[in-house]
Amino acid sequence: METRHFKLGSSNLFMKLPVLMIALLLLTFSCSNEDVDTIDINSQEPNIVEVLDSYNRTSSNSKGSLNKDYDSEPTFEILSVALAKTKLASTVSKNRLTVFAPTDKAFEAIGLNKKNIADVPGIVDILLYHVVGQVVYSSELVSGPVPTVQGTDVIVNVDGDNVLVNNSIVTIADIKARNGVIHVIDDVFTIPSLNLVELALSQDPEFSILVDAVTKAGLGDALATGGPFTVFAPTNQAFIDLLEATPFTSLDDIPVDLLTQILLYHVVDSYVFSNQLTNGFVPTLNGAAVQVNLDNAPMVYINDSMVALANVQATNGVVHAIDKVLMPPTLNLVEMASSFAPEFSLLLEAATTAGLADVLSGAGPYEQLTVFAPTNAAFMELLGENDIEAAKAVINGLDTTTLTNILLYHVVEGRVYSSDLSSGAVTTLNGDFDLDLSSLKINDSAMLIPSLLNVQATNGVIHVIDAVLVP
């Protein structure tokens, strides 16, 4: 019997994002005579139900022997009883299927056993939620939603040898049977029945202030019917803490436009389970990105907010509870540079002289830009001046075309965070420069300042550098 043993993953460790969410092209299971793909009745190989039973028999024999490793082998007695009592055993024996099989330990962990399993409300649907209507081996699994026989998708997340389905770890894969394949999982799937808004209203800790904010911003329908979305959901206490730290005394005091941008900064446009991220940045519907920090694992931080409860699945997404409200950037690139330390007054003077200030403010033609921003000290070194006003005079006297070419050599279209960068050519609005991430050097002349990377604005990102780049 060929099996594949996966390394155990962790539901608290995050894999890389963005991951392209690709749905498996699976046939929807049907019990009609036209759609059922029946097995070869002449084959001598055991079917799925018989394979599950074989693990139960092997374990029983092992317990009566001197084999000390019997407890490490999975057993499926509760699943087998459930299939028999619901009369699904025949269906699972005769059709081409993939079964995500919870072990006896998985059932027992939620209080289920051979005596009470058949009495669980909706047990037929729960069992069918663990079944895919086509044979899918581990090598064919990709990250994304997969339709089940029950009709609701499970979400597969793949990272090398680590595979999670919903929030369950696949511990053994590719147990072959005559009519399909079994993947062993360490938890029982729960069918989501509430949309994101309903889920927020039903959860503990409480999220009623979040729901009120969503309603005030007019986002309720979108979060209830759209998606799939991932919501980093601040608790009631998180909103109370925010209001105490700001001039606002209640949600009613927060302008709707600002409240909308704050809420959109908590939403990601796809499923993001807790094994889908690594240290880095995740784009939100606000346009800006949140930063994931796993340095203190198993604690997970989104910006400076800790994830208190992860992977609560809704019918149209997933919720992660957080203990602080995430605040998006509110200044554009020019405003951010004007307010920033170290000072960038010479960069702004150059942008104004070249007629690029409106472009960097978001007036167009680029919605998002990344600026590698030289400090005042960098400009004064290039110009050979020790005085800010004298440096401004030199900048104002430069040929506009020359100045424009220099500035555009510092600008990349789109939001490019440090986690998106790699060594080699980086394409700017005026040609390529060469980046060496090992030394943080650009063209061997300027250096990225590590503590001043990823400064977010409403229309882009700033990375501070210590010298002016000359194309």
Side-chain angles (χ1 to χ4, degrees):
M1 182 179 297
E2 180 180 348
T3 62
R4 181 179 175 193
H5 290 259
F6 281 106
K7 293 184 293 184
L8 290 184
S10 171
S11 60
N12 289 320
L13 297 180
F14 284 6
M15 295 189 321
K16 193 171 184 178
L17 192 98
V19 175
L20 181 61
M21 305 302 281
I22 308 172
L24 291 178
L25 301 179
L26 301 174
L27 297 179
T28 302
F29 176 83
S30 169
C31 288
S32 69
N33 291 332
E34 293 180 355
D35 293 334
V36 170
D37 181 9
T38 57
I39 64 172
D40 178 2
I41 59 174
N42 296 317
S43 173
Q44 298 303 307
E45 296 295 322
N47 61 46
I48 290 173
V49 172
E50 292 168 340
V51 169
L52 293 172
D53 285 339
S54 72
Y55 273 80
N56 302 333
R57 291 194 300 272
T58 301
S59 176
S60 177
N61 292 335
S62 298
K63 290 178 182 179
S65 70
L66 296 178
N67 183 356
K68 296 182 181 180
D69 296 326
Y70 72 85
D71 196 45
S72 65
E73 290 296 317
T75 58
F76 306 96
E77 293 181 5
I78 300 173
L79 177 58
S80 297
V81 169
L83 290 173
K85 290 192 174 182
T86 57
K87 304 188 184 305
L88 289 176
S90 176
T91 298
V92 174
S93 299
K94 295 179 180 179
N95 296 279
R96 301 282 289 172
L97 303 171
T98 296
V99 174
F100 294 103
T103 63
D104 286 335
K105 288 183 178 180
F107 279 108
E108 290 164 355
I110 58 174
L112 298 179
N113 54 53
K114 290 185 288 184
K115 293 182 179 179
N116 65 13
I117 185 66
D119 298 324
V120 173
I123 184 60
V124 171
D125 279 339
I126 293 172
L127 294 173
L128 294 180
Y129 186 52
H130 291 72
V131 179
V132 173
Q134 183 171 319
V135 180
V136 185
Y137 292 100
S138 61
S139 59
E140 300 172 286
L141 288 172
V142 293
S143 296
V146 178
T148 68
V149 170
Q150 185 269 339
T152 306
D153 292 349
V154 291
I155 310 301
V156 174
N157 295 313
V158 181
D159 179 31
D161 284 342
N162 292 322
V163 176
L164 272 79
V165 185
N166 288 359
N167 206 28
S168 300
I169 301 169
V170 176
T171 57
I172 304 176
D174 299 335
I175 301 175
K176 294 182 179 178
R178 181 166 80 233
N179 63 314
V181 63
I182 299 166
H183 304 302
V184 181
I185 57 175
D186 70 344
D187 198 3
V188 180
F189 297 158
T190 300
I191 304 172
S193 59
L194 304 176
N195 64 46
L196 287 165
V197 175
E198 293 168 336
L199 184 64
L201 286 171
S202 71
Q203 282 296 300
D204 184 17
E206 295 180 345
F207 299 96
S208 59
I209 300 178
L210 172 61
V211 174
D212 289 343
V214 166
T215 302
K216 178 181 176 181
L219 298 175
D221 287 344
L223 287 178
T225 62
F229 299 122
T230 295
V231 177
F232 296 105
T235 62
N236 281 359
Q237 187 60 51
F239 273 100
I240 292 170
D241 293 342
L242 173 70
L243 293 172
E244 290 179 349
T246 65
F248 307 118
T249 58
S250 70
L251 286 181
D252 292 335
D253 296 332
I254 303 177
V256 173
D257 289 346
L258 175 59
L259 183 62
T260 299
Q261 292 308 311
I262 292 173
L263 293 173
L264 292 177
Y265 191 55
H266 292 75
V267 184
V268 176
D269 189 17
S270 64
Y271 285 105
V272 183
F273 282 84
S274 63
N275 68 313
Q276 285 185 268
L277 298 175
T278 188
N279 285 335
F281 293 84
V282 181
T284 71
L285 294 185
N286 166 272
V290 293
Q291 184 173 12
V292 178
N293 186 335
L294 302 175
D295 292 343
N296 296 310
M299 290 184 294
V300 176
Y301 286 87
I302 309 298
N303 292 356
D304 62 345
S305 179
M306 188 177 71
V307 175
L309 178 67
N311 301 326
V312 184
Q313 194 173 353
T315 55
N316 62 327
V318 62
V319 172
H320 307 292
I322 55 176
D323 67 354
K324 291 183 181 179
V325 178
L326 308 174
M327 296 302 293
T330 57
L331 303 178
N332 64 43
L333 287 166
V334 171
E335 293 167 338
M336 178 60 70
S338 298
S339 67
F340 203 69
E343 295 181 352
F344 296 96
S345 58
L346 294 179
L347 173 62
L348 294 172
E349 185 75 20
T352 301
T353 302
L356 295 176
D358 286 345
V359 173
L360 294 177
S361 296
Y366 304 101
E367 291 186 3
Q368 302 287 332
L369 294 170
T370 298
V371 178
F372 293 84
T375 63
N376 280 0
F379 269 100
M380 286 191 289
E381 182 177 350
L382 174 70
L383 300 174
E385 298 288 347
N386 294 320
D387 179 76
I388 293 290
E389 294 305 317
K392 286 183 179 180
V394 174
I395 289 172
N396 289 325
L398 290 175
D399 175 72
T400 302
T401 301
T402 300
L403 188 58
T404 299
N405 287 337
I406 291 174
L407 292 175
L408 293 181
Y409 193 53
H410 294 74
V411 182
V412 174
E413 184 174 1
R415 285 182 178 265
V416 183
Y417 296 94
S418 59
S419 56
D420 301 321
L421 293 170
S422 58
S423 294
V426 176
T427 300
T428 74
L429 298 183
N430 184 33
D432 296 349
F433 63 65
D434 185 68
L435 172 64
D436 182 355
L437 274 185
S438 62
S439 63
L440 297 181
K441 282 193 172 182
I442 300 174
N443 289 351
D444 290 325
S445 61
M447 181 174 290
L448 291 164
I449 300 177
S451 61
L452 296 173
L453 302 177
N454 306 307
V455 180
Q456 292 202 74
T458 56
N459 64 320
V461 182
I462 296 172
H463 304 301
V464 181
I465 58 177
D466 67 354
V468 179
L469 305 174
V470 179

